[in-house]
Amino acid sequence: VGDFYRYGVQDVKAFPLRDGAGSADSGEDGAVVCRAYFKLQEALARGGVALPAGGVAMDAGAAPGGWTQFLCEALNCSKVYAVDPADMDILPPAGEHLRMKVQEVIPWLAERDIKLDIFVSDMCLHEVTELVQ
């Protein structure tokens, strides 16, 4: 949000998590695919940020799917482009997994004249070989 970074801390025991991979309709039981769901929820709440409900969103660095699930279920986004080369553990009906990198998806969206209302990112910006010595 602007030039600020947001973060949050919550008690893990307060949140139900799925055992293993979820399915597209398993969000109805109140469980979430991972705690990242609450990370985005808390960041928006603490920052006083209101995202438009029903919008079109892109979740960059989407796997395993916590933010995509939040955007679909809590914000009722009409479409969420979940961008990540990795596998998704959950993909709600409004989600579309684009198994590519962000630099590849930008031209893909432009070619289709897709406009975004919401952009969220939790990407790893470094090559794994740079992180492991």
Side-chain angles (χ1 to χ4, degrees):
V1 179
D3 293 328
F4 297 99
Y5 291 93
R6 305 284 185 199
Y7 66 91
V9 178
Q10 294 188 6
D11 184 357
V12 164
K13 292 177 254 168
F15 307 110
L17 296 175
R18 290 195 176 94
D19 295 329
S23 63
D25 61 352
S26 57
E28 296 171 9
D29 62 5
V32 298
V33 69
C34 65
R35 286 186 290 277
Y37 180 102
F38 301 108
K39 180 177 162 182
L40 181 56
Q41 180 184 51
E42 183 178 358
L44 295 174
R46 285 182 180 248
V49 178
L51 297 178
V56 175
M58 183 169 99
D59 177 6
W67 286 15
T68 298
Q69 183 183 12
F70 178 82
L71 292 167
C72 289
E73 294 176 3
L75 292 183
N76 295 316
C77 285
S78 59
K79 186 72 168 182
V80 177
Y81 294 99
V83 180
D84 202 307
D87 292 334
M88 299 285 289
D89 289 346
I90 185 172
L91 191 61
E96 181 176 342
H97 184 197
L98 302 177
R99 191 179 292 271
M100 57 182 81
K101 295 182 178 182
V102 171
Q103 61 265 38
E104 299 164 336
V105 83
I106 299 299
W108 185 91
L109 293 169
E111 289 168 4
R112 290 156 180 79
D113 198 31
I114 296 170
K115 307 284 190 247
L116 300 173
D117 300 301
I118 301 167
F119 174 84
V120 297
S121 174
D122 195 20
M123 292 186 299
C124 175
L125 298 177
H126 304 281
E127 293 292 327
V128 172
T129 55
E130 294 176 11
L131 300 174
V132 179
Q133 300 295 328

